[in-house]
Amino acid sequence: MDSQVLDFIPSEVANEMQTRTRRHQKFDEVESRLVDPKASVPQQLSISNVLNEISTNWNPFTKAIVKGDVVWLFDNTAFKAAEHEPWQAEFIMAVFESEPKCKVADIVAGIAGIIGLADDAEERKTIEERLLPFLWDIQSARTTTVSQGDLALKLGPSGFNGISTNVLKLLHNSKGSFTTKETTCDVEGVEGVLSMKTHFALPEGWGIISDIDDTIKITTTSDPISILKETFINAPSPVPGMPELYAGIKSFLPHSTPWFYLSASPYNLYPFLKGFRDTYYPPGTFILRDSSWKTVSGLLSSLTMGTEEYKVNRMKKIHSWLPKRKLIVFGDSTQSDPEAYGEIYRTFPGWIRMIFIRKDTNSAAFGLAEKNEPQRFEKAFTGIPRDAWHVFENPDECLDIVKKAVKRNS
């Protein structure tokens, strides 16, 4: 089959299915009912507002984080091109103002109304707690210095979305054993996620990339009301059998194996998802969207629009870090994971060695019959050997297949 056709058909199928799901499940209608935080804040033109919005690497108005700021440091994975090359890693920091300027109660009431909660429902406290990271004003043009052992690392400046990304060189003498280092922010009066772990991954070996929503965590991404419930009310729940599967894989593969959790979820959910991961799954690096700050409706669009393009782009970044690793990837059938993984498999021959797709069988989800059609997977994995991909319903069947794939590719 022509390579242009290979690239076109799977992505078109996935995009059309996502579009139909959004239309049938009335995502646009639900998004329009969510209160926009910006609409509840009087907009005044002032020098301070303008300066706060300016943020580029040349920005002359950058300043250090201070008492009262909220700072998040994200776990990461260090890499090196070859044994003699220096270690480096992408350091991500997010900075916010701790007090939202919008009317939080109005936005909580809006979510509660859409979900159908009573006015006095106890769950409103949970909604407010989880909602705040979507409502904090971001702090652009902020910098800080963090400590990794004796090494001082300068992070920033943060951009328009409050996030800074710096690829920095590190000092480390690992010869390949399982090694992590902790980085901390020690600025007095600053709150948030103030420590992060760097996992050092040598160029060769195995690696895991896992989707989150409806692959390892119940989210029900085909329904906007269910997304709001699972995000703002319910305790995060793992997909049955997946914690045991990942624990089995972790015990089987070398301890130095890096894990990546690649999701279309926005960065606003990092502490929420980090706590979920720490409870049920192996440590690893989160790669999340940074496009929906200061908007709750952005959560729904983030999970249901352009997910294939986003995941393909981020997997290319992981490949640039660890091109010699052999990857095992996990996704699900509810969105565009099959198409994204198929594209990356063909783009970087030999990098992905095994693809696992969880076939979602939740009877309440829209369009599952079409999304689970064997023809869909055949198209998504065109040109890929049949023993290099597996669609499953029961996670119990996957560990033996992982072991066989590792043996086959060793």
Side-chain angles (χ1 to χ4, degrees):
M1 183 176 288
D2 184 270
S3 60
Q4 185 175 2
V5 176
L6 285 181
D7 292 337
F8 174 78
I9 291 178
S11 60
E12 284 296 306
V13 169
N15 289 335
E16 289 175 5
M17 286 191 295
Q18 287 188 329
T19 299
R20 284 196 294 273
T21 297
R22 283 185 55 87
R23 182 169 58 248
H24 184 274
Q25 299 297 88
K26 300 181 179 179
F27 271 79
D28 289 345
E29 178 181 320
V30 173
E31 288 166 349
S32 69
R33 292 170 58 194
L34 290 165
V35 178
D36 184 352
K38 296 177 183 178
S40 63
V41 180
Q43 298 297 312
Q44 297 179 348
L45 182 62
S46 68
I47 292 178
S48 62
N49 287 343
V50 173
L51 294 184
N52 192 54
E53 289 298 317
I54 298 176
S55 176
T56 60
N57 288 330
W58 54 266
N59 190 338
F61 303 107
T62 59
K63 66 179 183 180
I65 61 174
V66 296
K67 180 180 180 179
D69 287 341
V70 175
V71 173
W72 293 351
L73 302 178
F74 295 78
D75 294 344
N76 63 6
T77 298
F79 54 91
K80 60 192 319 186
E83 183 62 35
H84 63 280
E85 295 290 333
W87 287 101
Q88 53 185 327
E90 182 180 71
F91 283 79
I92 296 178
M93 173 182 70
V95 188
F96 316 86
E97 292 185 38
S98 61
E99 294 296 328
K101 294 183 174 65
C102 56
K103 296 180 180 179
V104 177
D106 291 348
I107 302 171
V108 171
I111 293 175
I114 291 172
I115 293 174
L117 290 179
D119 291 342
D120 59 348
E122 184 70 19
E123 290 90 343
R124 285 176 178 249
K125 294 180 181 178
T126 303
I127 294 176
E128 180 173 346
E129 178 183 327
R130 297 186 189 175
L131 182 64
L132 283 176
F134 288 85
L135 306 182
W136 289 328
D137 282 350
I138 58 92
Q139 292 279 48
S140 58
R142 294 301 191 269
T143 64
T144 194
T145 299
V146 296
S147 301
Q148 188 181 91
D150 296 330
L151 185 63
L153 302 169
K154 183 177 180 180
L155 306 186
S158 51
F160 284 113
N161 54 11
I163 298 172
S164 70
T165 302
N166 307 93
V167 177
L168 303 175
K169 292 183 179 180
L170 304 176
L171 301 175
H172 188 55
N173 297 318
S174 171
K175 298 300 181 181
S177 61
F178 179 77
T179 310
T180 59
K181 281 191 175 181
E182 187 170 17
T183 301
T184 58
C185 174
D186 300 318
V187 179
E188 183 178 357
V190 170
E191 299 181 350
V193 183
L194 302 181
S195 67
M196 54 162 290
K197 290 184 178 180
T198 297
H199 173 72
F200 289 80
L202 287 170
E204 298 187 18
W206 289 90
I208 304 292
I209 295 177
S210 174
D211 175 54
I212 296 176
D213 296 292
D214 293 325
T215 297
I216 63 171
K217 174 186 170 293
I218 295 174
T219 304
T220 316
T221 53
S222 64
D223 178 64
I225 306 301
S226 294
I227 292 174
L228 294 176
K229 287 180 179 179
E230 296 296 340
T231 303
F232 295 113
I233 295 180
N234 297 343
S237 299
V239 170
M242 293 303 288
E244 294 80 6
L245 171 60
Y246 281 25
I249 295 173
K250 183 176 183 297
S251 67
F252 173 72
L253 291 178
H255 290 302
S256 57
T257 301
W259 291 68
F260 296 93
Y261 295 95
L262 171 61
S263 173
S265 293
Y267 269 107
N268 315 62
L269 293 175
Y270 177 64
F272 175 72
L273 294 175
K274 182 177 185 295
F276 171 74
R277 180 207 64 189
D278 291 346
T279 300
Y280 295 106
Y281 295 104
T285 297
F286 280 104
I287 299 180
L288 307 172
R289 281 198 177 189
D290 57 5
S291 59
S292 63
W293 298 98
K294 204 70 169 143
T295 166
V296 183
S297 61
L299 166 67
L300 302 180
S301 60
S302 179
L303 287 169
T304 57
M305 297 176 66
T307 59
E308 180 185 353
E309 295 84 353
Y310 160 76
K311 289 183 178 180
V312 166
N313 178 273
R314 292 304 187 266
M315 281 189 283
K316 288 180 178 179
K317 175 184 284 191
I318 297 173
H319 178 268
S320 73
W321 298 340
L322 299 168
K324 297 178 182 178
R325 286 266 170 176
K326 296 174 285 191
L327 273 292
I328 299 171
V329 299
F330 286 86
D332 66 88
S333 64
T334 64
Q335 298 179 298
S336 59
D337 293 344
E339 291 74 21
Y341 292 154
E343 180 174 341
I344 289 296
Y345 188 103
R346 291 184 290 267
T347 301
F348 303 114
W351 189 56
I352 292 180
R353 299 302 178 94
M354 193 71 208
I355 300 171
F356 288 90
I357 299 296
R358 173 182 173 263
K359 184 162 68 172
D360 191 351
T361 56
N362 177 4
S363 60
F366 171 76
L368 277 186
E370 178 186 17
K371 293 173 182 177
N372 290 338
E373 281 285 346
Q375 293 89 335
R376 181 215 177 169
F377 303 122
E378 294 287 348
K379 285 183 178 180
F381 302 133
T382 299
I384 299 175
R386 188 59 188 85
D387 62 358
W389 58 275
H390 180 68
V391 179
F392 69 96
E393 295 181 32
N394 185 353
D396 292 346
E397 68 194 56
C398 294
L399 184 56
D400 284 342
I401 298 174
V402 170
K403 292 179 179 179
K404 291 177 183 177
V406 170
K407 183 178 180 180
R408 184 172 65 246
N409 288 279
S410 295

